mmCIF file of all heavy atoms in Angstrom:
data_model
loop_
_atom_site.group_PDB
_atom_site.id
_atom_site.type_symbol
_atom_site.label_atom_id
_atom_site.label_comp_id
_atom_site.label_asym_id
_atom_site.label_seq_id
_atom_site.Cartn_x
_atom_site.Cartn_y
_atom_site.Cartn_z
ATOM 1 N N GLY A 1431 -5.141 -34.299 -25.838
ATOM 2 C CA GLY A 1431 -6.018 -34.523 -24.714
ATOM 3 C C GLY A 1431 -7.183 -33.479 -24.798
ATOM 4 O O GLY A 1431 -8.285 -33.803 -24.481
ATOM 5 N N HIS A 1432 -6.850 -32.237 -25.001
ATOM 6 C CA HIS A 1432 -7.795 -31.186 -25.091
ATOM 7 C C HIS A 1432 -8.429 -31.185 -26.370
ATOM 8 O O HIS A 1432 -9.583 -30.609 -26.601
ATOM 9 C CB HIS A 1432 -7.190 -29.777 -24.845
ATOM 10 C CG HIS A 1432 -6.929 -29.523 -23.406
ATOM 11 N ND1 HIS A 1432 -7.974 -29.011 -22.551
ATOM 12 C CD2 HIS A 1432 -5.784 -29.514 -22.651
ATOM 13 C CE1 HIS A 1432 -7.371 -28.851 -21.329
ATOM 14 N NE2 HIS A 1432 -6.129 -29.237 -21.411
ATOM 15 N N GLY A 1433 -7.868 -31.800 -27.439
ATOM 16 C CA GLY A 1433 -8.510 -31.714 -28.751
ATOM 17 C C GLY A 1433 -8.040 -30.513 -29.487
ATOM 18 O O GLY A 1433 -7.374 -29.591 -28.826
ATOM 19 N N LEU A 1434 -8.211 -30.383 -30.683
ATOM 20 C CA LEU A 1434 -7.769 -29.190 -31.506
ATOM 21 C C LEU A 1434 -8.326 -27.988 -30.857
ATOM 22 O O LEU A 1434 -9.438 -27.850 -30.522
ATOM 23 C CB LEU A 1434 -8.259 -29.396 -33.008
ATOM 24 C CG LEU A 1434 -7.414 -28.708 -34.043
ATOM 25 C CD1 LEU A 1434 -6.024 -29.184 -34.021
ATOM 26 C CD2 LEU A 1434 -8.096 -28.862 -35.404
ATOM 27 N N SER A 1435 -7.487 -26.960 -30.900
ATOM 28 C CA SER A 1435 -7.756 -25.800 -30.005
ATOM 29 C C SER A 1435 -8.469 -24.690 -30.778
ATOM 30 O O SER A 1435 -8.729 -24.753 -31.943
ATOM 31 C CB SER A 1435 -6.483 -25.212 -29.406
ATOM 32 O OG SER A 1435 -5.709 -24.528 -30.536
ATOM 33 N N VAL A 1436 -8.979 -23.677 -30.044
ATOM 34 C CA VAL A 1436 -9.755 -22.534 -30.428
ATOM 35 C C VAL A 1436 -9.147 -21.809 -31.722
ATOM 36 O O VAL A 1436 -9.864 -21.517 -32.613
ATOM 37 C CB VAL A 1436 -9.958 -21.484 -29.310
ATOM 38 C CG1 VAL A 1436 -10.584 -20.229 -29.881
ATOM 39 C CG2 VAL A 1436 -10.876 -22.128 -28.232
ATOM 40 N N ILE A 1437 -7.834 -21.615 -31.629
ATOM 41 C CA ILE A 1437 -7.254 -20.842 -32.731
ATOM 42 C C ILE A 1437 -7.365 -21.576 -34.094
ATOM 43 O O ILE A 1437 -7.424 -21.009 -35.175
ATOM 44 C CB ILE A 1437 -5.765 -20.607 -32.498
ATOM 45 C CG1 ILE A 1437 -5.389 -19.319 -33.259
ATOM 46 C CG2 ILE A 1437 -4.832 -21.836 -32.736
ATOM 47 C CD1 ILE A 1437 -4.083 -18.531 -32.839
ATOM 48 N N HIS A 1438 -7.721 -22.969 -34.072
ATOM 49 C CA HIS A 1438 -7.908 -23.743 -35.351
ATOM 50 C C HIS A 1438 -9.358 -23.618 -35.617
ATOM 51 O O HIS A 1438 -9.802 -24.211 -36.787
ATOM 52 C CB HIS A 1438 -7.519 -25.202 -35.213
ATOM 53 C CG HIS A 1438 -6.001 -25.293 -34.878
ATOM 54 N ND1 HIS A 1438 -4.987 -24.986 -35.791
ATOM 55 C CD2 HIS A 1438 -5.360 -25.567 -33.677
ATOM 56 C CE1 HIS A 1438 -3.787 -25.153 -35.213
ATOM 57 N NE2 HIS A 1438 -3.987 -25.481 -33.940
ATOM 58 N N GLY A 1439 -10.271 -23.046 -34.823
ATOM 59 C CA GLY A 1439 -11.698 -23.058 -35.172
ATOM 60 C C GLY A 1439 -12.284 -21.777 -35.381
ATOM 61 O O GLY A 1439 -13.140 -21.503 -36.127
ATOM 62 N N LEU A 1440 -11.788 -20.751 -34.578
ATOM 63 C CA LEU A 1440 -12.513 -19.469 -34.519
ATOM 64 C C LEU A 1440 -12.156 -18.581 -35.699
ATOM 65 O O LEU A 1440 -11.034 -18.538 -36.100
ATOM 66 C CB LEU A 1440 -11.991 -18.734 -33.208
ATOM 67 C CG LEU A 1440 -12.829 -17.470 -32.770
ATOM 68 C CD1 LEU A 1440 -14.249 -17.718 -32.545
ATOM 69 C CD2 LEU A 1440 -12.240 -16.876 -31.532
ATOM 70 N N ARG A 1441 -13.258 -18.016 -36.239
ATOM 71 C CA ARG A 1441 -12.943 -17.240 -37.532
ATOM 72 C C ARG A 1441 -12.418 -15.791 -37.260
ATOM 73 O O ARG A 1441 -12.427 -15.254 -36.175
ATOM 74 C CB ARG A 1441 -14.256 -17.070 -38.322
ATOM 75 C CG ARG A 1441 -15.367 -16.207 -37.593
ATOM 76 C CD ARG A 1441 -16.639 -16.454 -38.250
ATOM 77 N NE ARG A 1441 -17.374 -17.613 -37.665
ATOM 78 C CZ ARG A 1441 -18.544 -18.015 -37.997
ATOM 79 N NH1 ARG A 1441 -19.268 -17.348 -38.944
ATOM 80 N NH2 ARG A 1441 -19.137 -18.961 -37.369
ATOM 81 N N GLU A 1442 -11.878 -15.294 -38.230
ATOM 82 C CA GLU A 1442 -11.406 -13.806 -38.171
ATOM 83 C C GLU A 1442 -12.589 -12.938 -37.814
ATOM 84 O O GLU A 1442 -13.710 -13.244 -38.166
ATOM 85 C CB GLU A 1442 -10.849 -13.335 -39.579
ATOM 86 C CG GLU A 1442 -10.027 -12.097 -39.498
ATOM 87 C CD GLU A 1442 -9.520 -11.819 -40.935
ATOM 88 O OE1 GLU A 1442 -9.225 -12.707 -41.698
ATOM 89 O OE2 GLU A 1442 -9.220 -10.472 -41.112
ATOM 90 N N GLY A 1443 -12.233 -11.954 -36.925
ATOM 91 C CA GLY A 1443 -13.230 -11.032 -36.336
ATOM 92 C C GLY A 1443 -13.895 -11.632 -35.071
ATOM 93 O O GLY A 1443 -14.669 -10.995 -34.400
ATOM 94 N N GLY A 1444 -13.442 -12.824 -34.706
ATOM 95 C CA GLY A 1444 -13.934 -13.380 -33.455
ATOM 96 C C GLY A 1444 -13.282 -12.792 -32.253
ATOM 97 O O GLY A 1444 -12.318 -11.783 -32.303
ATOM 98 N N LEU A 1445 -13.678 -13.199 -31.002
ATOM 99 C CA LEU A 1445 -13.207 -12.635 -29.793
ATOM 100 C C LEU A 1445 -13.056 -13.752 -28.756
ATOM 101 O O LEU A 1445 -13.988 -14.545 -28.497
ATOM 102 C CB LEU A 1445 -14.268 -11.595 -29.322
ATOM 103 C CG LEU A 1445 -13.943 -10.962 -27.875
ATOM 104 C CD1 LEU A 1445 -12.774 -10.083 -27.996
ATOM 105 C CD2 LEU A 1445 -15.142 -10.303 -27.452
#
Side-chain angles (χ1 to χ4, degrees):
Chain A
H1432 281 279
L1434 205 58
S1435 68
V1436 168
I1437 204 158
H1438 300 288
L1440 190 58
R1441 67 193 88 178
E1442 196 177 331
L1445 175 70

